Amino acid sequence: MEQKLVVSLSPHAKAPFRIQTVMLIVILALFPALIASIYFFGIRALLVELVAVGTAVFTEWFIQRILLKRPSRIHDLSAVVAGLLLAFNLPSSIPLWQVAAGAIFAVGIAKMAFGGLGTNPFNPALAGRAFMLVSFPVEMTTWPQPVVTRTLMRPDALTTATPLGVIKEGLKSGIPLDQLADKLPTWWDLFLGNVGGSLGETSALALLVGGLFLILTRVISWRIPVFYLGTLAAFTGVFHLIDPSRYADPLFHILSGGVMLGAFFMATDLVTSPMTAPGQILYAIGGGLLAGLIRLFGSYPEGCSYSILIMNAFVPLIDRAFPPVRFGARPVQTQVKEARHG
Amino acid sequence: MKYATFPKGGIHPHEHKQTAHLPIEHLPLPEQVVIPLGQHLGAPAHPLVKRGDRVKVGTRIGEAQGFISAHVHSSVSGKVLKVDEITDLSGYRRPAVFIQVEGDEWEEGIDRSPELVTTCDLSPQEIIERIKDAGIVGMGGAGFPTHVKLSIPPGKAIDTLIINGVECEPYLTADHRLMLEKTDEILVGIAIIRRALGEPRVFIGIEANKPDAIRVMKERVKEWEGLEVRPLKVKYPQGAEKQLIKALTGREVPSGKLPLDVGCVVSNVGTAHAVYRAVQKQMPLVERVVTVTGNDISRPGNFLVRVGTQVEWVLDQAGGLPEDAGKVVAGGPMMGKALPNLEVPVTKTTSGILVLPRKDVGPRSVEPCIRCAKCVQACPMGLEPYLLERLSARERWEEAEARGIVDCVECGSCAYICPASRPLLDYIRYGKTTVMMLRKKRSA
């Protein structure tokens, strides 16, 4: 026989999609929010995004090729996702060198130092954001106004507060919610994203489109976003019912800040979220509760990133506690009896 | 219409059933056959012939040895060239009988006429005896001796016989064609198995991607009492014994238990056909339908092949091995075995010969696990393949055992679906055999 045959164990067939495909779907799902960010915050938004993605990819390549002398794996596109998500968590006015520093931390420390793709316990983009928030607190909380700031220059002259910031500051100075109403955006602006905030978090509409795409392509399950947002809504809803003058309504909480981005794109990060349905539900409920707690009672207006980072830490425990239900777990006797009677 | 299926896990690979419309074709006799003496689970048969002996079609050439074993018969008439070892599908050296073909003379008493014989007055014991005499083994793939399966130990009762016409492996169409062309013979065979088991109810499970087979079987089954055709949703591994029982009866065979522990016996349609021929026609299992397929095969088909015919010869009848062949698989792509060479013979359990092109069989770069949970979702046994892989690789056997590694049915759904192309099943197999060995040691 002249031809050489491959001998390997079954299966001899393979599903067509690969990690690269998964990441490509995530990137595509992020496109509506990307376009929204450029629309609302101008070309500067794109610049921040390019620097974040470029630095993230370069950092991964540099560590793999130059430091570890291994083949580079940047083709799996996971660094692109991390860079893009980090950029989405930043204000458009952020200095570019700070963006680069955040991306280096996100990929270099939060991801590669833990062994690279698949072995990092925390979402790299969120870890990068947390790093930037403590390192550059002023720049990280200076929010340019949307729409009017379509310029390549740093638009630091025209800043605004985020809707959540308005509430937090207002309540601190003892102003009840109904008197803050004229300082708050309309539902419609909140939904579209025409408000101050981080690049990719303001447009609920764009995130919803991308999130649904992720669910339909089965890259993520619906459970994490639904239970995360649902818990946040329920938690804030209870307090709203108790005292509407102090606590905003649940819809406001869902549409403002970064929870839409967090619920669909960060909490669902495959690497740092639980594997089974019950585990995912517990994780999402925990995240929603934490986000609500931080928002209502913390000193910090948002709460999404920390809620997810904290829950990330519990994932190994959750996975251990909620393995899938084994086939054949039920005793024989009851099964046969049921089958005979039913 | 909503079809029944098993609820947990499963995948849907591309079906590739391009031979479904091709009627079963009798292949001419080869010049030589190589009949392995171990074509079944359990001990190989003991050879009854030696070099120079003359045999006819149906002559017993191997005697079952031990409780789980089956007789082996000559599939051709001619002269025994030698009894020698060959490398079989498992990669082990096993004894086989080489026979030079001379004419086509059959043993006396074998009824080769096409007339359908429906009446059967034999007792269950006599039926099982004839099945044993004919060397029938499960033709779905595992090759468990049928007479052993039908001998229900005292204290156990069977209330359900499940006939497996699922054929959920991509590419394979042998059972599909058999159901279309040998419908009545299969039904008589089923009735005989049912009689041997004390008349339990019968479900015939067929996947919904074979509507013509479902239609024909449903039509003919009306003449029989206690038999019911049940169409099933197309989902792999629907044909796995435990999954099929779950889909049709709602019962779950517990870990380490057998179908008969939940009152079920599962038999393949091909086996039912062989039982008909054995009991009603005194015909031993000497030939079977083999689907020969692959995208570059010039003359694919469903061929009736004598057991012992070498794969190379069968492929020649199908237009030859294509230029760009990279892998030849005995069986389907999900659970079939890759052949080391083409001299390997067709056996009682060879359901297909699948030729995959080189471009589809090259090694894939293994990427890191991204914990996407696709393998967990795909596992029909509710296991965590990503974890079992890791535990096996690190030889953490106790944890692997606690996580149910021996429950793996080796269906390959996890490895099929993994976007990182991780060799999940390779590691799980390694872990499973090691854990089973350790268990044996422990109980010894």
Side-chain angles (χ1 to χ4, degrees):
Chain A
M1 197 173 51
E2 305 112 66
Q3 279 161 297
K4 276 200 177 144
L5 296 177
V6 176
V7 180
S8 60
L9 294 172
S10 64
H12 310 287
K14 196 80 195 66
F17 68 88
R18 315 202 60 183
I19 286 182
Q20 207 177 29
T21 331
V22 174
M23 296 298 166
L24 204 59
I25 290 172
V26 177
I27 292 168
L28 281 178
L30 287 169
F31 254 80
L34 180 85
I35 291 163
S37 75
I38 299 167
Y39 178 81
F40 289 119
F41 299 106
I43 285 296
R44 189 83 186 11
L46 184 63
L47 201 61
V48 171
E49 282 147 0
L50 286 176
V51 170
V53 170
T55 313
V57 173
F58 176 79
T59 306
E60 185 156 309
W61 176 87
F62 184 83
I63 292 174
Q64 285 166 338
R65 288 296 296 133
I66 310 296
L67 295 186
L68 301 175
K69 311 235 181 320
R70 287 186 195 151
S72 156
R73 302 193 30 83
I74 55 168
H75 58 269
D76 68 25
L77 301 178
S78 63
V80 176
V81 173
L84 207 49
L85 282 176
L86 175 67
F88 277 13
N89 278 288
L90 307 175
S92 62
S93 56
I94 188 97
L96 296 178
W97 70 268
Q98 293 182 359
V99 177
I104 290 170
F105 183 89
V107 171
I109 305 295
K111 184 176 169 189
M112 296 311 293
F114 285 97
L117 179 64
T119 48
N120 50 298
F122 297 102
N123 179 293
L126 285 180
R129 177 180 187 271
F131 161 79
M132 289 175 76
L133 199 61
V134 292
S135 307
F136 322 115
V138 177
E139 290 86 345
M140 282 295 282
T141 50
T142 304
W143 312 101
Q145 282 177 21
V147 184
V148 289
T149 56
R150 291 193 186 126
T151 162
L152 267 175
M153 307 300 290
R154 270 180 70 186
D156 46 5
L158 294 154
T159 58
T160 179
T162 66
L164 285 169
V166 170
I167 291 182
K168 192 114 259 177
E169 287 309 308
L171 291 174
K172 245 187 222 165
S173 12
I175 310 166
L177 266 187
D178 46 352
Q179 286 175 37
L180 293 169
D182 55 331
K183 287 187 187 162
L184 289 173
T186 61
W187 291 130
W188 191 237
D189 277 339
L190 268 179
F191 183 65
L192 289 181
N194 193 16
V195 296
S198 298
L199 290 181
E201 71 176 28
T202 60
S203 177
L205 174 65
L207 293 165
L208 217 49
V209 170
L212 285 179
F213 177 65
L214 279 189
I215 292 171
L216 291 176
T217 50
R218 293 183 171 216
V219 168
I220 64 168
S221 104
W222 58 271
R223 290 185 197 93
I224 292 177
V226 167
F227 278 92
Y228 182 88
L229 294 172
T231 306
L232 176 67
F235 184 82
T236 53
V238 167
F239 285 94
H240 177 68
L241 286 177
I242 295 169
D243 186 358
S245 72
R246 279 189 60 81
Y247 304 106
D249 63 281
L251 192 61
F252 176 85
H253 275 287
I254 284 186
L255 293 178
S256 60
V259 287
M260 287 295 258
L261 178 66
F264 284 102
F265 291 95
M266 322 274 257
T268 55
D269 175 8
L270 299 172
V271 175
T272 57
S273 62
M275 307 276 263
T276 61
Q280 288 174 348
I281 291 170
L282 178 75
Y283 162 89
I285 291 175
L289 275 179
L290 282 172
L293 272 172
I294 297 171
R295 277 188 176 190
L296 298 191
F297 306 110
S299 61
Y300 185 62
E302 177 52 291
C304 180
S305 333
Y306 290 108
S307 74
I308 295 168
L309 283 170
I310 293 167
M311 289 315 292
N312 283 166
F314 287 103
V315 167
L317 283 176
I318 294 174
D319 272 340
R320 192 169 272 259
F322 294 93
V325 179
R326 216 80 75 65
F327 184 97
R330 290 165 61 210
V332 183
Q333 297 312 340
T334 58
Q335 290 182 44
V336 177
K337 237 181 243 166
E338 270 169 38
R340 286 208 178 114
H341 294 291
Chain B
M1 176 170 177
K2 209 172 173 294
Y3 298 112
T5 188
F6 57 100
K8 194 195 303 282
I11 53 169
H12 191 162
H14 193 295
E15 290 169 29
H16 290 289
K17 303 264 193 188
Q18 51 254 52
T19 49
H21 63 286
L22 298 170
I24 298 168
E25 191 183 318
H26 290 244
L27 281 196
L29 287 173
E31 285 165 23
Q32 179 200 279
V33 293
V34 181
I35 304 176
L37 290 165
Q39 303 181 35
H40 44 261
L41 279 183
H46 177 74
L48 297 174
V49 291
K50 57 183 191 310
R51 192 173 155 212
D53 283 358
R54 298 271 161 184
V55 292
K56 295 179 186 172
V57 185
T59 307
R60 193 183 293 178
I61 57 174
E63 176 85 24
Q65 262 197 120
F67 178 57
I68 297 178
S69 188
H71 298 317
V72 176
H73 302 79
S74 176
S75 59
V76 293
S77 61
K79 195 171 75 182
V80 175
L81 293 172
K82 58 177 174 175
V83 181
D84 199 0
E85 288 195 329
I86 57 156
T87 306
D88 74 358
L89 283 179
S90 59
Y92 286 106
R93 303 280 295 168
R94 292 252 176 84
V97 178
F98 290 65
I99 301 168
Q100 168 129 37
V101 178
E102 291 166 351
D104 193 24
E105 206 182 323
W106 289 60
E107 281 285 347
E108 271 169 51
I110 296 175
D111 176 6
R112 298 179 67 205
S113 71
E115 274 101 84
L116 186 75
V117 186
T118 51
T119 49
C120 171
D121 305 321
L122 301 174
S123 71
Q125 206 42 55
E126 288 167 323
I127 292 170
I128 290 170
E129 210 47 48
R130 284 209 187 172
I131 289 170
K132 186 182 178 188
D133 283 344
I136 311 279
V137 304
M139 291 171 80
F144 192 81
T146 303
H147 68 274
V148 182
K149 195 185 251 185
L150 299 185
S151 306
I152 306 304
K156 305 269 182 192
I158 299 301
D159 67 358
T160 310
L161 167 63
I162 290 171
I163 298 298
N164 188 347
V166 171
E167 202 164 49
C168 61
E169 275 270 8
Y171 289 97
L172 301 187
T173 56
D175 286 350
H176 184 182
R177 289 312 306 181
L178 211 56
M179 287 190 280
L180 287 177
E181 297 176 40
K182 305 287 180 191
T183 321
D184 292 321
E185 299 182 5
I186 291 171
L187 290 174
V188 176
I190 293 170
I192 291 170
I193 298 174
R194 181 171 179 242
R195 189 184 174 91
L197 291 171
E199 310 287 337
R201 62 176 173 171
V202 180
F203 296 136
I204 305 167
I206 308 172
E207 270 193 349
N209 61 359
K210 297 176 254 301
D212 47 355
I214 293 171
R215 204 166 46 238
V216 173
M217 293 287 280
K218 267 196 168 164
E219 185 55 41
R220 303 286 178 82
V221 88
K222 284 178 191 159
E223 295 161 27
W224 297 90
E225 243 175 73
L227 274 58
E228 194 186 329
V229 175
R230 289 272 187 102
L232 294 165
K233 192 177 165 184
V234 182
K235 190 164 83 173
Y236 180 87
Q238 188 94 254
E241 212 164 53
K242 291 184 176 185
Q243 273 59 44
L244 189 57
I245 293 171
K246 175 73 181 174
L248 289 172
T249 69
R251 300 177 194 171
E252 288 187 11
V253 181
S255 173
K257 299 274 183 181
L258 294 169
L260 63 88
D261 291 308
V262 292
C264 297
V265 163
V266 183
S267 213
N268 175 268
V269 286
T271 314
H273 181 243
V275 164
Y276 164 80
R277 303 224 289 184
V279 176
Q280 306 292 72
K281 302 277 192 175
Q282 281 77 44
M283 189 179 290
L285 184 47
V286 294
E287 54 186 3
R288 68 157 297 143
V289 182
V290 179
T291 302
V292 182
T293 184
N295 294 340
D296 299 313
I297 291 284
S298 59
R299 213 178 70 82
N302 298 293
F303 300 122
L304 189 67
V305 182
R306 297 282 172 96
V307 166
T309 307
Q310 285 166 303
V311 166
E312 185 161 32
W313 194 87
V314 177
L315 279 172
D316 283 343
Q317 309 304 305
L321 189 69
E323 279 276 304
D324 68 339
K327 190 190 267 187
V328 180
V329 176
M334 295 304 298
M335 292 190 78
K337 293 227 164 74
L339 299 181
N341 61 66
L342 300 182
E343 279 123 58
V344 171
V346 166
T347 66
K348 296 173 184 177
T349 57
T350 310
S351 47
I353 297 170
L354 167 64
V355 180
L356 296 168
R358 206 167 293 136
K359 66 172 169 52
D360 289 352
V361 302
R364 275 170 179 258
S365 60
V366 175
E367 295 172 78
C369 169
I370 56 167
R371 295 172 40 85
C372 67
K374 294 263 181 210
C375 60
V376 179
Q377 287 156 16
C379 181
M381 298 306 290
L383 305 176
E384 297 158 281
Y386 79 97
L387 183 64
L388 297 177
E389 180 213 14
R390 204 180 311 158
L391 295 174
S392 292
R394 295 177 189 171
E395 310 201 331
R396 283 154 63 172
W397 306 128
E398 268 166 43
E399 284 163 86
E401 183 175 12
R403 294 285 180 153
I405 197 164
V406 297
D407 282 353
C408 172
V409 294
E410 304 187 25
C411 68
S413 298
C414 54
Y416 172 86
I417 207 80
C418 179
S421 303
R422 300 195 66 78
L424 296 170
L425 184 52
D426 296 16
Y427 274 100
I428 295 172
R429 273 199 191 97
Y430 165 53
K432 186 180 161 184
T433 41
T434 312
V435 168
M436 289 203 295
M437 215 173 62
L438 291 174
R439 270 190 185 177
K440 230 181 222 171
K441 259 190 207 159
R442 215 182 300 149
S443 61

